[in-house]
Amino acid sequence: MGLHVTTASVPGTGHARSDDACAHRQHGGVYVAAVADGMGSARAGGEAAVSATRRLVETFEARPSGWSVDRALVEFTKQINHQLCEEAVHR
């Protein structure tokens, strides 16, 4: 079965472009998609959104075999959020 992915994002008022991001990848029989709001008002919101979505779909492939899809998404999302917060503090 083929899957066609299309994305669209509308820039906020006063912004020339959107800082939203999405990433997707198929891992075995599981299709993982991530969407993040770039928080256009934040200095590096778009960069963080791209990084978060990319990291989630890339990390998902390495999930422990005993983890369910739900657990993997929850745990990896927590880890990525922590990493992004740490990176923001040290900028």
Side-chain angles (χ1 to χ4, degrees), residues 2 5 8 11 13 16 26 28 37 44 48 51-53 55 57 61-62 68 77 85 87 89:
V5 177
T13 304
Q26 185 172 355
D37 182 337
S51 181
T53 56
R55 288 180 193 191
V57 298
E61 186 174 19
S68 67
T77 299
C85 288
E87 290 169 12
V89 167

Side-chain angles (χ1 to χ4, degrees), residues 9-12 15 17-21 36-50:
S9 184
V10 178
H15 296 277
R17 65 179 180 85
S18 172
D19 284 336
D20 301 341
D37 182 337
M39 296 176 41
S41 61
R43 189 178 75 209
E47 181 183 329
V50 169

Side-chain angles (χ1 to χ4, degrees), residues 3-91:
L3 184 64
H4 179 77
V5 177
T6 302
T7 63
S9 184
V10 178
T13 304
H15 296 277
R17 65 179 180 85
S18 172
D19 284 336
D20 301 341
C22 70
H24 55 87
R25 185 172 298 166
Q26 185 172 355
H27 297 289
V30 178
Y31 194 83
V32 178
V35 178
D37 182 337
M39 296 176 41
S41 61
R43 189 178 75 209
E47 181 183 329
V50 169
S51 181
T53 56
R54 179 186 47 79
R55 288 180 193 191
L56 184 60
V57 298
E58 289 175 358
T59 304
F60 187 83
E61 186 174 19
R63 77 184 188 280
S65 61
W67 283 13
S68 67
V69 170
D70 289 346
R71 180 176 180 191
L73 292 174
V74 168
E75 294 297 328
F76 292 146
T77 299
K78 287 179 187 177
Q79 290 173 13
I80 292 164
N81 187 54
H82 178 75
Q83 292 167 352
L84 289 172
C85 288
E86 286 294 314
E87 290 169 12
V89 167
H90 298 291
R91 279 185 182 244

